[in-house]
Amino acid sequence: MSHEYFPSIAPLSWNPAPSSESASHRHPRFRFYDASEKVEGKSMHDHLRFAACYWHTMRNGLSDPFGAATARTPWDDQSDSIPNAKRRAEAFFEFLTKCQITRWCFHDRDLAPEGETIAHSERNLDELVDHVAALQKATNRRLLWGTANLFSHPRYVHGAATSPSVDVFLSAAAQVRKAIEVTHALGGEGYVLWGGREGYDTLLNTDLAREREQLARFLHLASDYAQSIGFRGVLLIEPKPHEPTTHQYDSDSEATLNFLREFGLFGKFQLNLETNHATLAGHSMEHELTVARAAGALGSIDANMGTVGLGWDTDRFPTDVALTTQIMLAVLTMGGLSHGGLNFDAKRRRASFEPVDLFHSHAAGMDAFALGLKAAARIRADGRVQEFVRERYASWDAPLGRKIRAGELTLAQCAQEAANSGTVVAASGRQELLESIVNELLFGA
Ligand code: XLS
Ligand code: NI
Ligand code: NI
């Protein structure tokens, strides 16, 4: 890379000293993320497995439904040309390197412009894939996951796999076949399917049962294809309850896992969970993570957060330490993200439009996760919360509880035991005390 795209930005480093620079002059840096620092015997870098996404970082002009794009992107002439697409990729890999982000994610159409025909689109993509393969190698970055954009083009207006028209299903199949192939070629650790328009707006025009079957067929085809080309990465589904459709079929962890079970897909796919999708579904992120973990299906995380009071996917950078603590607690409890990562599926606010804000925003998210990781490790080392949970269920580990769990008692025998044991005494759940212990471990020191 001869040309420098962010000449005024020095590579970010860890500098824990409080800054005397005013916020308007401050250079991006990390106050809490020290890639090499060990937590529970493993480096922060290896715990957190950060990734940046190509779509928000390079392709989001920050327009909103009421106003035009504001992002300043001097490297981008806004054309659909291949040279412009290549420049963007070069700027992106410089950004990743300076920001100490080792991994990245993309949609096929973020990277290369769609052509007139499928063959033309594939040629465009191949040209860009060759280019980013060289950039990956030169900068020592890795692909966390790839995906296909099956929601922007007007042909997908009624859905992709769940379209009422076979020809749309076929277009989507062509796109996913190619996207899996290039993800494999780039050494991707995973491949994501987010059902952007796999849902409906009104049942007056929709055969729901048929559409769910179509989606299942599509997922079988994708999984079979990935196998057939020797793709060893993990296939991931990203639940979201709505937006853009009113009802999306893979609405949350539980619904998606049940969908997989119903159609013989369980075990073939894991979940990629996104905080703002969890909250749109009316859940906390820790609920979604825990449901997936209980099924052994937590694959990867799209790290962002919503905005209280705004009922849409605002994709803010995750700067809330209470949130990052809960996420890292789930990750540590699981024993780490083996093939997944923390992908910043996040965008700067429309008013943070300078190139340097790309660095500030990612650094803010990385620092929040560094703090969350350490806080989660403190909660685990302290042990009071986990001990409380263990004790709360202790009767299930005593002989009678074990027998019931093993299916050795009938309902009538349970009733007899109840009669023998007399009055039931309930114990307090102590929620507020536990919340206070967590606060003590977050902020006490
Ligand atoms: C949109 C989704 C999308 C997926 C990839 O809400 O989060 O960005 O992560 O298609
Ligand atoms: Ni996402
Ligand atoms: Ni999203």
Side-chain angles (χ1 to χ4, degrees):
M1 264 193 294
S2 45
H3 183 80
E4 202 178 0
Y5 292 86
F6 302 98
S8 61
I9 292 165
L12 276 60
S13 56
W14 173 61
N15 181 350
S19 174
S20 55
E21 299 161 296
S22 68
S24 48
H25 292 108
R26 175 159 154 189
H27 292 285
R29 62 180 169 91
F30 304 116
R31 283 211 53 198
F32 306 108
Y33 179 63
D34 172 8
S36 60
E37 183 181 342
K38 292 258 166 57
V39 177
E40 294 194 2
K42 195 158 95 178
S43 71
M44 279 200 183
H45 174 269
D46 291 353
H47 274 292
L48 297 167
R49 296 171 61 90
F50 288 127
C53 74
Y54 204 82
W55 53 100
H56 285 316
T57 311
M58 302 318 288
R59 304 310 307 274
N60 195 327
L62 308 179
S63 62
D64 71 13
F66 300 93
T70 57
R72 286 189 201 146
T73 50
W75 56 85
D76 190 329
D77 65 17
Q78 304 303 326
S79 76
D80 256 349
S81 74
I82 297 288
N84 193 38
K86 289 187 175 171
R87 271 198 304 279
R88 267 189 219 121
E90 289 161 18
F92 184 65
F93 279 85
E94 183 185 323
F95 156 78
L96 290 178
T97 307
K98 285 186 167 172
C99 217
Q100 290 192 34
I101 298 177
T102 330
R103 293 177 168 82
W104 67 293
C105 300
F106 74 103
H107 297 90
D108 51 356
R109 299 302 184 242
D110 308 332
L111 211 53
E114 175 145 7
E116 298 293 322
T117 60
I118 290 172
H120 186 192
S121 298
E122 294 193 349
R123 273 199 309 279
N124 287 350
L125 190 53
D126 284 335
E127 221 181 307
L128 262 296
V129 165
D130 288 347
H131 195 58
V132 295
L135 289 166
Q136 279 196 147
K137 198 155 176 241
T139 60
N140 195 21
R141 306 291 113 174
R142 327 186 39 163
L143 178 63
L144 182 65
W145 50 260
T147 187
N149 180 328
L150 302 179
F151 45 90
S152 293
H153 194 281
R155 85 170 69 89
Y156 297 124
V157 62
H158 304 299
T162 62
S163 168
S165 316
V166 163
D167 53 357
V168 177
F169 182 102
L170 297 177
S171 296
Q175 238 181 285
V176 166
R177 188 202 66 81
K178 184 66 183 173
I180 294 176
E181 179 194 295
V182 303
T183 296
H184 185 40
L186 288 169
E189 292 165 272
Y191 182 87
V192 163
L193 291 117
W194 168 58
R197 292 186 192 273
E198 311 296 25
Y200 68 91
D201 293 323
T202 173
L203 288 172
L204 292 173
N205 64 14
T206 303
D207 184 338
L208 177 145
R210 197 191 263 272
E211 291 200 359
R212 291 175 76 253
E213 276 173 26
Q214 287 170 214
L215 183 55
R217 174 58 49 219
F218 195 80
L219 295 178
H220 273 291
L221 295 177
S223 154
D224 292 349
Y225 179 73
Q227 277 246 310
S228 76
I229 62 168
F231 178 65
R232 298 265 164 275
V234 60
L235 298 178
L236 296 150
I237 301 189
E238 185 177 322
K240 184 175 183 180
H242 46 250
E243 194 203 287
T245 63
T246 311
H247 301 272
Q248 191 167 300
Y249 298 128
D250 39 14
S251 53
D252 64 7
S253 286
E254 199 73 75
T256 305
L257 291 168
N258 283 332
F259 181 91
L260 294 175
R261 291 185 186 104
E262 179 179 348
F263 291 101
L265 290 156
F266 192 79
K268 295 180 193 273
F269 289 85
Q270 299 215 331
L271 302 186
N272 179 42
L273 296 175
E274 177 168 322
T275 313
N276 206 162
H277 298 184
T279 49
L280 282 176
H283 300 305
S284 65
M285 180 59 162
E286 49 273 31
H287 168 83
E288 288 292 87
L289 293 169
T290 306
V291 167
R293 195 158 55 73
L298 173 53
S300 197
I301 291 173
D302 270 6
N304 63 14
M305 65 183 194
T307 304
V308 179
L310 279 185
W312 43 290
D313 200 9
T314 54
D315 287 350
R316 281 172 64 196
F317 273 85
T319 52
D320 176 347
V321 178
L323 168 71
T324 59
T325 300
Q326 291 304 326
I327 294 176
M328 292 317 297
L329 203 48
V331 170
L332 291 179
T333 308
M334 189 174 87
L337 291 165
S338 46
H339 39 242
L342 296 173
N343 169 42
F344 289 111
D345 192 349
K347 64 180 182 221
R348 306 167 277 159
R349 296 306 81 195
R350 185 165 181 262
S352 308
F353 47 72
E354 293 179 5
V356 70
D357 289 308
L358 284 173
F359 295 83
H360 283 309
S361 55
H362 283 84
M366 293 163 80
D367 269 348
F369 267 100
L371 287 167
L373 169 62
K374 287 175 139 183
R378 283 200 299 278
I379 293 170
R380 279 156 58 83
D382 176 86
R384 275 176 290 169
V385 173
Q386 292 89 322
E387 189 195 0
F388 183 85
V389 176
R390 250 191 329 273
E391 283 176 1
R392 193 161 176 246
Y393 293 90
S395 64
W396 285 101
D397 291 326
L400 187 56
R402 280 177 199 273
K403 273 194 186 166
I404 300 171
R405 283 160 63 201
E408 288 165 14
L409 255 62
T410 64
L411 191 67
Q413 286 169 322
C414 287
Q416 189 54 54
E417 292 288 348
N420 296 346
S421 67
T423 357
V424 174
V425 189
S428 166
R430 299 262 194 274
Q431 179 171 337
E432 298 79 3
L433 170 65
L434 295 168
E435 288 169 344
S436 171
I437 290 175
V438 168
N439 278 345
E440 175 194 322
L441 292 165
L442 273 170
F443 302 109

